[in-house]
């Protein structure tokens, strides 16, 4: 019950903001559970930043397995020189996230 309320509040916060940084304890579901909840709530474009290439690839494999989808369908990753991404849930190395932000800013100017 408490967990459901917490995720409901988080989903409301995401609806109210275009950009959100989530912090929490290790093992709390920030990386694996939260993107799945957001996807189920109708958020089709979710990006999750990972500090290392291996972390991004390992986590995306786990999330795609938990969701029961093929890697690259609803869940994907993008790291330097390797793009198996999708528009839905995408795990990115932090430098890729910055590159996407810069490109979006240039396109909107």
């Amino acid at each position: 019950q408490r967990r459901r309320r917490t995720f409901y509040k988080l989903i409301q916060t995401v609806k109210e903001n275009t950009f959100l940084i989530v912090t929490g304890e290790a093992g709390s579901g920030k990386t694996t559970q939260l993107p799945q909840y957001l996807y189920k709530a109708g958020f089709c474009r979710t990006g999750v930043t990972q500090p290392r290439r291996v972390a991004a690839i390992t986590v995306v494999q786990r999330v795609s397995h938990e969701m029961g989808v093929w890697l690259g369908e609803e869940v994907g990753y993008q790291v330097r020189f390797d793009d198996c991404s999708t528009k839905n849930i995408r795990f990115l190395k932090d430098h890729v996230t910055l590159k996407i932000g810069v490109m979006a800013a240039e396109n909107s100017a």
Side-chain angles (χ1 to χ4, degrees):
Q1 183 76 340
R2 180 175 171 236
R3 186 176 220 174
R4 186 177 292 166
R5 275 196 316 264
T6 301
F7 280 110
Y8 176 76
K9 283 184 189 178
L10 197 50
I11 288 169
Q12 285 303 115
T13 303
V14 171
K15 286 180 180 179
E16 296 166 1
N17 298 279
T18 56
F19 184 83
L20 187 66
I21 297 175
V22 178
T23 62
E25 294 181 28
S28 63
K30 301 177 302 290
T31 302
T32 58
Q33 300 303 309
L34 182 58
Q36 293 180 62
Y37 281 112
L38 292 173
Y39 182 72
K40 288 176 186 174
F43 293 93
C44 296
R45 295 178 64 115
T46 303
V48 182
T49 302
Q50 291 295 299
R52 292 176 303 285
R53 174 187 186 94
V54 173
I57 296 170
T58 303
V59 171
V60 76
Q61 290 170 339
R62 176 180 168 184
V63 172
S64 65
H65 177 73
E66 287 179 3
M67 291 178 66
V69 298
W70 290 102
L71 182 62
E73 271 183 17
E74 276 97 33
V75 184
Y77 68 91
Q78 186 175 355
V79 295
R80 181 176 292 179
F81 307 124
D82 196 0
D83 187 352
C84 181
S85 63
T86 175
K87 296 285 186 199
N88 298 323
I89 301 173
R90 184 165 41 166
F91 290 83
L92 311 159
K93 181 114 172 40
D94 42 14
H95 77 276
V96 174
T97 307
L98 292 171
K99 182 179 177 181
I100 290 170
V102 168
M103 288 175 18
E106 289 174 351
N107 289 338
S108 66

